[in-house]
């Protein structure tokens, strides 16, 4: 399992298990899109679903991912990215 959830400074975020906290969408967009969940349950549910859907391909690709947009949409579905930020990402990634 690659991803989990942790609270830092009162904000729930995704993290790599025993690793770094994921604070932003990594693709270069300006300004950066922050990932923050309104609560523990949504962050944990998102991490669990990411593990189920993407861990095998993520691990094989040596910690890079080819399904970036699908992951961003999943995070948005769990309220980790605001609808406005998701719309901006859609426009910038075209």
């Amino acid at each position: 399992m690659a991803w989990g959830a942790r609270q830092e400074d009162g904000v729930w975020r995704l993290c790599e298990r025993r690793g770094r906290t994921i604070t932003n969408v990594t693709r270069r967009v300006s300004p950066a899109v922050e990932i923050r969940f309104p609560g523990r349950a949504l962050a944990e549910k998102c991490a669990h679903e990411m593990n189920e859907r993407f861990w095998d391909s993520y691990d094989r690709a040596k910690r890079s991912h080819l399904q970036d947009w699908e992951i961003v949409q999943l995070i948005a579905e769990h309220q980790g990215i605001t609808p406005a930020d998701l719309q901006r990402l859609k426009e910038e990634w075209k």
Side-chain angles (χ1 to χ4, degrees):
M1 296 263 203
W3 296 287
R6 74 168 56 117
Q7 187 178 35
E8 288 188 350
D9 300 325
V11 177
W12 281 95
R13 301 188 185 275
L14 295 172
C15 63
E16 293 179 347
R17 298 224 191 251
R18 300 184 186 167
R20 70 183 180 91
T21 301
I22 302 166
T23 58
N24 294 304
V25 173
T26 57
R27 186 163 175 143
R28 294 187 188 272
V29 291
S30 180
V33 173
E34 185 177 16
I35 300 171
R36 52 187 304 141
F37 293 87
R40 178 180 183 174
L42 287 170
E44 288 179 345
K45 187 175 178 184
C46 183
H48 177 74
E49 194 166 337
M50 285 174 59
N51 285 321
E52 293 291 319
R53 291 177 53 188
F54 304 115
W55 170 240
D56 288 338
S57 61
Y58 178 82
D59 190 40
R60 282 193 306 268
K62 294 188 172 62
R63 305 229 184 251
S64 63
H65 210 280
L66 303 175
Q67 296 168 304
D68 290 341
W69 184 247
E70 291 177 51
I71 291 173
V72 167
Q73 287 180 307
L74 179 65
I75 293 169
E77 289 170 15
H78 290 88
Q79 300 175 24
I81 297 173
T82 67
D85 281 340
L86 182 62
Q87 183 61 40
R88 189 167 55 85
L89 286 171
K90 284 180 186 177
E91 292 169 6
E92 291 191 23
W93 281 20
K94 285 182 181 180

